[in-house]
Amino acid sequence: MTNKNTDWQGLAKSKLNAINGSIPSKWRLSSIPSIEDQKDVTGTFVQKFLSEREIEITETDAVGIVQKTSTGTWTAEEIATAFCHRASLAHQLTACLHETFFEAAIRDAKTLDKYYEHYKSPVGPLHGLPVSLKDQFHVKGVETTMGYIGWIGTFMGRRGTGKEKVFESEMVKELRALGAVLYCKTSVPHTLMSGETVNNIIGYTTNPKNRHLSCGGSSGGEGALIGLRGSPLGFGTDIGGSIRIPAAFNGLYGLRPSSGRLPYEGMANSMDGQNSVLSVVGPLSHTAGSLILVVKSLLSQQPWLHDPLVHEMPWREDQARQALNPAQNAGLSFGVLKTDGIVTPHPPVQRAMLMAIEILEKLGHKIIEWKPPSHQRGHDVISKVWTYDGGEDLHGALGLAGEPMVPQVAGLYGSGPTGKQSDASEIAATNVAKREYQKDYMEYWNTTVVLTGTGRPVDAFLMPLAPFAAVCPNKYKYLGYSHILNTLDYTSCTVPITLVDKDVDVIDNNFKPVSKLDQSIADDYDPELYDGAHVAIQLVGRRLQEEKVLALADYLGKAIAERQ
């Protein structure tokens, strides 16, 4: 293990230099504009450093890319090279990468091209698709630090395991078998327990659309990278919103599947062994179609044969079709939760909700006010789960190098372990409280059958992903809109709706807070500062309804695009 007396700052600096030094010199920017000079580095700004061909490739979604590779129209090598270049630019502008392995990626891409040249067919449904990974995935030849200085040069803080830079996570193997090209791992907040992305190695990862704001967390590097189109699709994890927050903050679709749908086996994690509310792994991308492609592809690998926690549940095309059949006949119904009664959403989020409602109503679908059991109950459950061990695991990992906990995490976990760990009886009581809450919520959902007029309970419900479009550094004060779905284990997908408009999304002078927290979060909203930021909401289905949720997210997203 790393010695606590080691110079953690020196280790961090050395690691940062290695990350930055891995960017090929031909792709390094001569200067980085200040945030004040260039807050938005997406679109035309980043395009200045790319060729027309690279722009064409990197601004094609995952579905379009595999259509090109599966017909031999584009080579895997040129696609990989273009995304390695754009990822390099993204990192220099936002600090979104922990690891790059571009040379290995291009070698893998060349191998795929040789296969296609010989057999005139793709290796699999993801042939030649670059896929980025949150720095929890283990990849051969590459380190996994998860933002911890004490994990540098080790296997999750341990030395001499024989697994260092050799072991691979189960999903990594499956992605390779499907033909994906892996090329980088993205930044996370150390501990993973933050809606912002910051650690003592790379510093703070910013939002490429508005660098005054956070990219989200804990899969924030994925959000920033994909938001800048340095990746067509990537994977994050979610125990309290960590896929959906960065997806929403960066104008992306992000799927939080229910636990047991996709393989988490062999990934690094915080508080491993805590099973009351499991972290899940899921994809982020620019289109819902891209998420459908990759989830369907992964399930074709039968991950339940290699991950004991994955349900034997192949992709169910009939569920996707059934979700859309009523839509074609204007027969869907949606619940709508505009506020959880604890924190009031900012004006842009309120407007995004109203836009989605208006579009669905114009399409002939029924909207029903969602009045579920108190979300405070779900909040209380997951808050206990996150602190079962009194912070022992997180502080232990930080203590390997003697590094300090960043403020974004210290607000919940303090300066050291509390010394108070939940005993078996307390954990059992929390599990019972969770199950009872899930049961009450389930039965409430069932009661909506009398309101829909379709003969079914609501098909899905819409709610904010967060009370804000994004946050300024160290301002993520409330996770209730996202982590409630982790308590319930519901399937959820973010849907980008609009951008903040300072002239429309003005401060509500008639706002009446329900608490000091509500007022504090309202005070953080500045229309001028937030102008141009992405605004998204989330579409929620029941447990294990990934096919249905993705189909409905795709339907809603296309309807929004048509009206813009």
Side-chain angles (χ1 to χ4, degrees):
M1 291 191 176
T2 306
N3 191 316
K4 287 186 179 182
N5 297 319
T6 301
D7 172 18
W8 68 264
Q9 291 171 311
L11 285 172
K13 184 177 181 181
S14 177
K15 181 63 177 178
L16 177 61
N17 288 340
I19 296 168
N20 293 338
S22 72
I23 303 298
S25 57
K26 62 183 177 181
W27 293 338
R28 293 178 192 172
L29 299 174
S30 58
S31 63
I32 308 296
S34 68
I35 294 175
E36 289 70 25
D37 289 340
Q38 189 68 46
K39 76 172 186 178
D40 182 355
V41 292
T42 64
T44 56
F45 179 81
V46 71
Q47 287 172 354
K48 294 188 298 185
F49 308 104
L50 299 160
S51 68
E52 289 186 10
R53 179 65 164 169
E54 287 175 318
I55 293 170
E56 179 188 9
I57 290 171
T58 55
E59 297 190 5
T60 300
D61 79 345
V63 174
I65 288 171
V66 297
Q67 286 174 346
K68 297 288 189 181
T69 58
S70 62
T71 57
T73 307
W74 290 353
T75 66
E77 181 183 359
E78 67 175 334
I79 294 167
T81 302
F83 277 102
C84 288
H85 184 190
R86 193 151 180 165
S88 297
L89 298 173
H91 174 66
Q92 292 172 82
L93 295 167
T94 65
C96 61
L97 300 182
H98 275 185
E99 305 288 341
T100 68
F101 34 107
F102 298 155
E103 291 183 2
I106 292 170
R107 283 199 303 272
D108 290 344
K110 288 179 178 178
T111 300
L112 290 170
D113 288 336
K114 289 179 181 176
Y115 182 96
Y116 188 90
E117 184 179 359
H118 181 76
Y119 294 102
K120 304 304 179 186
S121 65
V123 165
L126 303 183
H127 184 97
L129 178 69
V131 173
S132 51
L133 302 170
K134 184 178 185 178
D135 191 21
Q136 288 180 255
F137 288 86
H138 296 297
V139 178
K140 285 181 182 178
V142 185
E143 201 161 62
T144 301
T145 67
M146 215 168 77
Y148 288 127
I149 295 169
W151 283 21
I152 296 171
T154 74
F155 183 77
M156 299 190 297
R158 302 188 299 275
R159 296 185 184 278
T161 66
K163 294 182 177 181
E164 293 86 347
K165 295 187 177 183
V166 175
F167 180 81
E168 286 203 317
S169 304
E170 182 58 37
M171 188 181 285
V172 169
K173 299 174 187 176
E174 293 173 4
L175 288 168
R176 291 192 193 280
L178 291 163
V181 175
L182 310 178
Y183 64 115
C184 63
K185 295 205 294 178
T186 53
S187 58
V188 301
H190 62 208
T191 78
L192 308 177
M193 302 304 289
S194 175
E196 302 172 54
T197 294
V198 55
N199 61 59
N200 294 317
I201 299 174
I202 61 156
Y204 197 90
T205 305
T206 55
N207 188 314
K209 186 67 176 173
N210 184 336
R211 292 193 295 158
H212 290 292
L213 303 174
S214 169
C215 64
S218 63
S219 311
E222 284 299 317
L225 178 67
I226 301 170
L228 256 173
R229 294 189 176 272
S231 169
L233 182 143
F235 279 90
T237 62
D238 194 314
I239 195 175
S242 293
I243 291 170
R244 293 161 290 150
I245 293 165
F249 285 12
N250 292 279
L252 307 171
Y253 291 83
L255 176 70
R256 184 229 175 258
S258 293
S259 59
R261 196 72 206 270
L262 294 177
Y264 209 114
E265 176 66 24
M267 291 173 61
N269 201 5
S270 290
M271 300 176 285
D272 193 18
Q274 177 284 107
N275 289 340
S276 294
V277 177
L278 290 172
S279 178
V280 297
V281 59
L284 304 82
S285 192
H286 291 280
T287 62
S290 297
L291 305 188
I292 292 169
L293 166 70
V294 74
V295 173
K296 187 175 182 179
S297 298
L298 281 168
L299 293 177
S300 74
Q301 293 294 293
Q302 299 181 299
W304 47 88
L305 296 179
H306 302 283
D307 185 334
L309 297 185
V310 172
H311 303 295
E312 186 172 348
M313 189 178 293
W315 177 263
R316 300 164 296 181
E317 191 64 39
D318 59 322
Q319 293 215 1
R321 286 196 303 269
Q322 288 169 12
L324 293 179
N325 282 341
Q328 295 166 1
N329 300 311
L332 292 173
S333 61
F334 293 89
V336 171
L337 181 80
K338 294 180 181 178
T339 175
D340 65 1
I342 303 169
V343 172
T344 307
H346 285 174
V349 179
Q350 295 182 36
R351 180 168 62 87
M353 287 293 296
L354 291 174
M355 288 175 65
I357 292 168
E358 180 183 359
I359 287 170
L360 290 171
E361 286 182 329
K362 285 184 176 179
L363 289 169
H365 304 302
K366 188 161 187 178
I367 300 298
I368 295 167
E369 184 179 359
W370 195 246
K371 299 179 180 179
S374 168
H375 279 200
Q376 185 64 51
R377 283 177 59 194
H379 172 80
D380 292 344
V381 167
I382 199 167
S383 296
K384 289 178 183 178
V385 169
W386 286 353
T387 55
Y388 274 164
D389 74 346
E392 188 72 32
D393 177 73
L394 310 183
H395 285 289
L398 292 166
L400 292 174
E403 63 175 308
M405 182 176 277
V406 295
Q408 285 83 351
V409 182
L412 179 61
Y413 291 99
S415 58
T418 64
K420 170 66 173 70
Q421 297 198 18
S422 299
D423 62 25
S425 296
E426 291 168 329
I427 292 171
T430 301
N431 288 338
V432 170
K434 183 194 77 165
R435 186 181 71 235
E436 290 176 344
Y437 183 65
Q438 289 175 320
K439 169 65 171 174
D440 289 348
Y441 216 101
M442 174 188 291
E443 294 299 349
Y444 165 73
W445 194 317
N446 293 338
T447 66
T448 62
V449 68
V450 301
L451 302 173
T452 62
T454 65
R456 306 183 305 275
V458 298
D459 295 290
F461 70 91
L462 305 177
M463 64 181 287
L465 178 279
F468 22 68
V471 293
C472 293
N474 208 20
K475 293 289 187 179
Y476 210 117
K477 302 173 184 176
Y478 184 65
L479 286 159
Y481 283 99
S482 56
H483 71 37
I484 187 66
L485 302 181
N486 298 84
T487 303
L488 293 164
D489 198 23
Y490 282 169
T491 305
S492 172
C493 186
T494 56
V495 180
I497 303 293
T498 187
L499 302 176
V500 177
D501 185 333
K502 64 182 179 181
D503 296 322
V504 176
D505 301 314
V506 298
I507 292 173
D508 180 4
N509 293 322
N510 296 317
F511 169 70
K512 291 182 174 57
V514 298
S515 66
K516 288 183 179 178
L517 174 63
D518 196 19
Q519 183 65 66
S520 175
I521 289 175
D523 290 342
D524 290 338
Y525 177 59
D526 179 344
E528 192 73 35
L529 183 66
Y530 274 72
D531 190 46
H534 291 289
V535 192
I537 63 173
Q538 57 184 337
L539 187 149
V540 186
R542 299 190 194 236
R543 288 186 66 245
L544 299 169
Q545 289 191 337
E546 287 74 26
E547 293 89 347
K548 180 177 184 178
V549 166
L550 287 171
L552 293 177
D554 187 45
Y555 174 75
L556 176 58
K558 287 176 178 175
I560 291 165
E562 287 174 3
R563 282 155 179 75
Q564 292 177 342

